């Protein structure tokens, strides 16, 4: 009845479904005026008392600060600054336990009050409406004002509208529907005029078509006070029936306008902005009085405090000190709730501070708030569905949440649950329904996050695959091009003669083999088949050699391709001839050992084969000699490449330093990572610089052409002295070459890594939906071309090194390896022979054999060393 | 300070499952009193006996299933099942009939499905139907033959102990009688059992008593109005139409509303939340369909009453009804309903 009186004639009040009427417990705390809170020994100010990014500290430990002074500034678009609630000294900046359901720590400023409560500069405005909305918004942001009703969303963000947004209704929330809480009630009763002034500021900023102030009918004094204060102002004070949760933003909008905010949407989408009366009051204080948000009204109630009531507490006041101030009886205190009994959460650490959103503190014994009773079976009574203000089916959600059927739970609109607790309140089976929903929501969020992560990883992987493949293809293309370029100058003409010779030799070998086979046949050799196989082999070799000659003849003038083929054929022939010789030799040896008649014949055949093999080898050498090394001048100057790399590295380092500084200023999480990155880049740059110095030192020697062929043959000669002397001559050159090679390798690796990093950064930015990618793309391209360039230089240098090795020794690496292997074989054969003849041969023969063995040993040693040197000095690795 | 760490909300409403069940039992008392007055103490004996059997069966099953016995017994659901089944049985039911029905209801229809909240069918009605099909004679043997006479205590005890039906005491219910002689005006006129105020001798008093109990439950908000109202409307409306067409062949709506197990079914049986539909709209459909089905079976079926069959059939349909009657969630354009959602 009272409600109807207040509602008045034409003023419409809608209804929302569900809702409950729990015992109000308001009278415990709303009968006394607002009292000042305590001046605690320490104020703990979390940097994140709001929704959004934590504030960035502006003070240091030991700083003396005045009341109202900026201690930390807002950081980013959605953030809010922190001010000193009183004058004093900053004694610590670090993690402290804060208001969080999991009781986790968060960075806080700790202020020790000096008791003087001295204000710093205040800039009250006589007429805030003289300022532009933009300037006002700035002042509101600077004053650290956030929504004081619940979540603590920065007010300046909430009231800055997009271009297309129009506000039809500004709704001011004075409902305060949760039991026990009376902070807004007392505020409205005692400071209604201030609230109206704050609302006028909101009206100025939002320009709404109408302003509705909702207030529950259990607060007639507050409604009367507001009505009186709102005379002349365009504010429609509307009394709504007491029902929990009519103070929920969505429910209040529905109550006053009949509109529903779309699922997952914001009120502004239906032309509504909601603000709490406390926020309006804070706006008044900030603009008209120049006082930033440094205190708030907090209800202290419950049967464990002697003086329940509303206290104007300084932000950062520890809960324990406020409880002390209100006369807590610790023996009775069994449940400590921050917030209301329906949606607040229990505290187990009274050291945590009160923040901008702390509206109520309930210190209760189990008489007032009993321990939760054991959960019983759901009897599907549907009381929860009747109580749900969002028209959900809580009992169904409960089944799904309990069975981890998250998909079905989502299908039943679990995410639209506002966690008001009405369902759990009415449940006759004492099922903690909200707890189940929170769990299921958490699981859904985790799964969504994991899915997103997996998607990102897959995208990243695919992008990387694509990049690697592209790089491989490009590398291969470059390699081909280089080969072509290298081959071009290798004239095929010189080879023709060698090839012809090789062909002749092969034919001869073939004929000899045929002869040998015939002889073997004549004498009835049991190994006839082997001879025949030998003949076949020879024939094939001869044919190939002939074909090679033919090919070379055809393609000779313009061709660049026949040469390697001819060389390969020759190589094969050499190998085959060597093998044939070895076979023949083994047979001859066997025949000798068995003192067969044909031993002499076999011996002679072996000799013939050996001669052939040698001839082929010579032909191969000749053919190779005709193939000049790649032109070293074609390769880009490694010093230049290095210079470029150094420049790039330096600029990358500088950019990283800049980013780090920015990140540090912003208190961004990744500042440390960026710093590390910068350090790493610096080290790289230094290293590159060092390499550049080295390369420069080596540079003058670079253009030097290959030394004389005479010297080149030296390392494989049997004279150790000669080899040593030559080594000293080429050592210096080789060392320089090696240094350059290493420098280039490092430069390439780094350039490639930079490119890769830039590329993945670009990918990340793309995924995050960054708008301005052009600069990043350009940078990636630049880095890529740099890496390619370095790679070209490196490849060229590798080729050059190989060529110079060939020029130095007259042999390429493979030949050296072959030489070494051959020497080893000869040595082994000789030692076998010595062993065999030790008992039978005469002393002279043995002496001769021993000396031969010594020579062979020496040869093998030299060959080994030559190979090893070549490998080491030139840093060549087979790719 | 050892502070309680608990999830919100930190305060709970006063309603408690055990309390709900107790309210239901209190609400049956007027009906039980009238039944005892009219038909002797047979019903009372059966109610007490059924409670005893139900509690023992429940405890044994809870023990077998490894559940805390005291906690689950405290919810009182077994007692409610026992009372409702015993009220539905004829006052002449012998002890073994009650025993079989209650034991089956608790052990099979309730506990084997997973206990309270998990049973798809109303356990009391499952027990009732088992008995009706297995022992049709004993189940349709109501006190109240002609001439009408209330058995005394000794007779009731003998009945309960299973010493045969007593001559002159047992007979058919008005519903049964009407169905037998429907269309025959003379016969209907002669049947004394039909000459009660509205619904046959004595039965209107039984149903009025259950209506009173049901209104109490409504008043205490133990049950919602949707199911009983839809139930009664669903029964009365077809009855009214048919009666208008042919009053001789079809009984009038008041007769349907106040005879047999109508009020017991509407307020106590169909409102069993576990096996009923859950949304408000679903409950309207659920209740109405039960009412219509009762009228159909009473009029055309082979059994005299139909509350148990109708309730069980609609229990079967309840999940389906729920599926298509989900409410529209706040902020959503339309409700997610049916297979398409």
């Amino acid at each position: 009845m009272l409600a109807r009186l207040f509602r008045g004639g034409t003023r419409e009040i809608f209804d929302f479904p569900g809702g409950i009427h729990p015992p109000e417990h308001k009278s415990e705390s709303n009968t006394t005026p607002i009292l000042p809170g305590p001046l605690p020994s320490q104020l703990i100010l979390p940097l994140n008392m709001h929704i959004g990014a934590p504030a960035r500290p502006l003070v240091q430990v030991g700083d003396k600060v005045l009341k109202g002074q900026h201690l930390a500034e807002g950081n980013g678009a959605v953030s809010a600054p922190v001010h000193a609630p009183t004058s004093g000294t900053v004694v610590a900046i670090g993690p402290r336990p804060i208001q969080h359901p999991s009781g986790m720590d968060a960075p806080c400023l700790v202020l020790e009050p000096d008791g003087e409560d001295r204000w710093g500069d205040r800039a009250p405005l006589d007429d805030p409406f003289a300022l532009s909305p933009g300037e006002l918004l700035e002042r509101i942001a600077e004053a650290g004002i956030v929504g004081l009703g619940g979540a603590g969303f920065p007010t300046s963000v909430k009231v800055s509208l997009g271009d297309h947004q129009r506000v039809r209704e500004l709704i001011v929330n004075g409902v305060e529907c949760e039991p026990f809480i009376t902070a807004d009630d007392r505020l409205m009763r005692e400071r209604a005029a201030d609230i109206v002034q704050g609302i006028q500021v909101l009206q100025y900023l939002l320009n709404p078509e109408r302003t509705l102030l909702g207030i529950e009918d259990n607060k007639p004094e507050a409604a009367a006070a507001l009505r009186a204060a709102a005379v002349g102002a365009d504010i429609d004070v509307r009394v709504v029936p007491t029902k929990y949760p009519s103070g929920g933003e969505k429910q209040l909008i529905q109550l006053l306008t009949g509109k529903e905010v779309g699922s997952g949407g914001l009120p502004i989408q239906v032309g509504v902005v909601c603000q709490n009366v406390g926020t309006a009051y804070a706006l008044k204080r900030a603009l008209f009085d120049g006082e930033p948000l440094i205190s708030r009204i907090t209800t202290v109630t419950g049967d464990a405090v002697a003086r329940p009531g509303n206290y104007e507490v300084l932000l950062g006041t520890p809960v324990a000190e406020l409880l002390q101030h209100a006369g807590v009886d610790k023996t009775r205190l069994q449940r400590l709730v921050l917030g209301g009994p329906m949606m607040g959460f229990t505290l187990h650490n009274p050291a945590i501070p009160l923040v901008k959103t702390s509206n109520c503190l309930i210190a209760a014994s189990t008489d007032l708030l009993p321990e939760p009773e054991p959960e019983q079976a759901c009897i599907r009574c549907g009381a929860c569905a009747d109580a749900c203000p969002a028209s959900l089916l809580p009992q169904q959600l409960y089944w799904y949440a309990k069975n981890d059927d998250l998909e079905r739970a989502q299908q039943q609109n679990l995410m639209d649950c506002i966690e008001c607790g009405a369902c759990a309140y009415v449940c006759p089976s004492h099922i903690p329904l909200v707890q189940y929903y929170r769990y299921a929501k958490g699981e859904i969020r985790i799964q969504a996050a994991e899915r997103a992560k997996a998607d990102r990883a897959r995208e990243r992987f695919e992008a990387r695959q694509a990049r690697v493949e592209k790089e491989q293809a490009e590398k291969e293309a470059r390699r081909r091009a280089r080969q072509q370029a290298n081959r071009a100058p290798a004239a095929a003409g010189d080879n023709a003669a060698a090839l012809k010779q090789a062909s002749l030799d092969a034919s001869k070998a073939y004929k000899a083999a045929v002869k040998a086979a015939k002889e073997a046949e004549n004498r009835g050799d049991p190994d006839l088949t082997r001879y025949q196989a030998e003949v076949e082999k020879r024939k094939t070799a001869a044919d190939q050699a002939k074909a090679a000659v033919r090919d070379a003849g055809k393609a000779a003038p313009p061709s660049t391709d026949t040469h390697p083929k001819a060389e390969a054929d020759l190589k094969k022939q050499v190998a085959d001839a060597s093998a044939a010789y070895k076979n023949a030799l083994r047979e001859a040896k066997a025949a000798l050992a068995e003192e067969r008649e044909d031993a002499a014949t076999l011996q002679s055949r072996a000799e013939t084969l050996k001669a052939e093999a040698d001839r082929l080898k010579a032909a191969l050498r000749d053919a190779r000699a005709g193939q000049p090394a790649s032109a070293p001048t074609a390769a880009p100057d490694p010093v230049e490449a290095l210079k470029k790399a150094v420049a790039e590295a330096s600029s990358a380092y500088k950019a990283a330093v800049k980013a780090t500084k920015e990140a540090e200023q912003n208190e961004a999480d990744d500042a440390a990572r960026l710093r590390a990155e910068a350090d790493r880049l610096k080290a790289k740059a230094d290293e590159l610089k060092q390499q550049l110095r080295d390369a420069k030192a080596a540079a003058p020697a670079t253009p030097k052409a290959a030394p004389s062929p005479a010297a080149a043959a030296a390392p494989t000669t049997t004279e150790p002295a000669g080899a040593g002397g030559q080594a000293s001559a080429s050592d210096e050159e080789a060392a320089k070459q090696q240094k350059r090679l290493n420098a280039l390798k490092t430069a390439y690796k780094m350039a490639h890594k930079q490119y890769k990093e830039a590329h993945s950064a670009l990918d990340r930015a793309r995924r995050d939906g960054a708008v301005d990618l052009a600069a990043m793309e350009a940078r990636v391209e630049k880095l890529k071309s740099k890496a390619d360039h370095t790679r070209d230089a490196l490849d060229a240098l590798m080729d050059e090194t190989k060529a110079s090795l060939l020029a130095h020794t007259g042999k390429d690496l493979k030949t050296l390896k072959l030489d070494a292997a051959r020497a080893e074989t000869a040595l082994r054969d000789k030692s076998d022979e010595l062993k065999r003849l030790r008992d039978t041969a005469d002393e002279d023969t043995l002496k001769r054999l021993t000396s031969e063995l010594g020579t062979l040993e020496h040869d093998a040693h030299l060959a080994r060393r030559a190979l090893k040197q070549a490998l080491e000095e030139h840093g060549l690795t087979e790719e | 300070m050892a502070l309680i760490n608990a999830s919100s909300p930190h305060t709970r409403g006063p309603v408690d499952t055990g309390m709900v069940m107790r309210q239901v039992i209190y609400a049956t008392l007027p009906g039980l009193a009238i039944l005892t007055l009219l038909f002797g103490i047979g019903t009372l004996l059966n109610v007490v006996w059924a409670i005893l059997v139900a509690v023992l069966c429940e405890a044994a099953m809870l023990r077998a299933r490894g559940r805390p016995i005291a906690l689950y017994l405290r919810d009182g659901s077994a007692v409610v099942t026992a009372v409702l089944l015993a009220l539905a049985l004829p006052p002449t039911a012998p002890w073994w009939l009650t025993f079989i029905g209650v034991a089956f209801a608790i052990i099979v229809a309730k506990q084997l499905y997973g206990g309270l909240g998990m049973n798809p069918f109303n356990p009391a009605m499952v027990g009732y139907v088992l008995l009706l099909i297995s022992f049709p004679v004993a189940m349709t043997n109501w006190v109240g033959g002609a001439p009408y006479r209330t058995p005394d205590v000794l007779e009731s005890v003998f009945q309960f102990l299973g010493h045969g039906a007593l001559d002159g005491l047992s007979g058919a219910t008005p519903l049964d009688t009407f169905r037998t002689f429907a269309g025959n005006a003379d016969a209907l006129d002669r049947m004394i059992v039909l000459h009660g105020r509205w619904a046959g001798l004595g039965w209107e008093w039984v149903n009025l008593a259950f209506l009173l109990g049901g209104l109490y439950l409504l008043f205490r908000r133990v049950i919602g109005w949707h199911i009983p109202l839809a139930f009664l409307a669903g029964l009365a409306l077809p009855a009214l139409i048919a009666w208008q067409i042919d009053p001789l062949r079809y009984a009038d709506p008041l007769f349907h509303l106040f005879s047999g197990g109508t009020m017991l079914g509407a307020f106590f049986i169909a409102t069993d939340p576990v096996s009923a539909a859950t949304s408000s709209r679903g409950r309207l459909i659920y209740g109405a369909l039960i009412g219509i089905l009762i009228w159909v079976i009473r009029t055309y079926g082979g059994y005299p009453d139909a509350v148990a069959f109708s309730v069980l059939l609609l229990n079967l349909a309840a999940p389906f009804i729920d599926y298509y009657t989900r409410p529209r969630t706040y902020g959503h354009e339309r409700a997610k309903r049916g297979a398409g959602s």
Side-chain angles (χ1 to χ4, degrees), chain A residues 351-405:
Chain A
I352 71 139
L354 293 159
V355 296
K356 292 175 180 176
T357 54
S358 311
N359 54 0
C360 183
L361 195 57
I362 306 172
S365 73
T366 46
D367 299 338
L368 187 64
L369 300 178
E371 290 225 37
E373 292 199 44
E375 182 180 336
Q376 288 176 288
C378 169
I379 55 169
R380 289 164 45 88
C381 63
C384 47
D386 294 340
C388 181
S391 301
L392 296 164
L393 289 175
Q395 79 275 23
Q396 298 297 107
L397 293 175
Y398 157 69
W399 285 119
Y400 298 139
K402 198 174 179 180
N403 297 327
D404 263 331
D405 190 349

Side-chain angles (χ1 to χ4, degrees), chain A residues 250 254 260-261 263 333-335 341 344 346 378 380-381 390-391 395 411-413 416 424-425 428-430 438, chain B residues 1 3-8 10-13 16-17 117 273-274 276 278 283 326 328-332 336 341:
Chain A
K250 290 174 172 178
Q254 199 173 10
E260 287 186 19
V261 181
S263 176
L333 180 59
Q334 270 129 3
R335 183 170 342 204
T346 51
C378 169
R380 289 164 45 88
C381 63
S391 301
Q395 79 275 23
Q411 208 179 64
Q412 296 261 350
N413 304 328
D416 288 301
Y425 178 82
S429 292
H430 314 293
R438 285 203 189 110
Chain B
M1 267 191 298
L3 294 171
I4 296 170
N5 192 9
S7 176
S8 69
H10 304 286
T11 172
R12 301 266 179 196
D16 173 270
T17 302
V274 176
T278 51
R283 284 172 173 174
R326 284 179 203 153
R328 184 185 62 85
T329 307
Y330 178 100
H332 287 256
K336 291 181 180 174
S341 62

Side-chain angles (χ1 to χ4, degrees), chain B residues 226-227 277-288 321-322 325:
Chain B
H226 302 84
I227 292 177
T278 51
S279 62
S280 298
R281 190 200 301 253
R283 284 172 173 174
L284 286 175
I285 296 171
Y286 172 83
I321 294 171
D322 277 341
T325 54

Side-chain angles (χ1 to χ4, degrees), chain A residues 120-182:
Chain A
D121 289 337
R122 269 178 288 183
L125 295 168
D126 292 332
D127 181 12
F129 308 111
L131 265 59
S132 74
E135 287 169 313
L136 271 187
L137 283 175
E138 211 166 286
R139 277 184 175 253
I140 292 168
E142 273 172 24
I145 295 176
V146 303
L148 297 184
F153 193 83
T155 303
S156 59
V157 182
K158 197 169 173 180
V159 297
S160 24
L161 301 175
D163 293 335
H164 57 286
Q165 285 169 331
R166 281 281 297 130
V167 178
R168 293 191 176 281
E169 284 103 3
L170 166 63
I171 290 180
V172 184
N173 191 342
V175 175
E176 202 166 55
C177 60
E178 268 208 71
F180 289 97
I181 313 176
T182 57

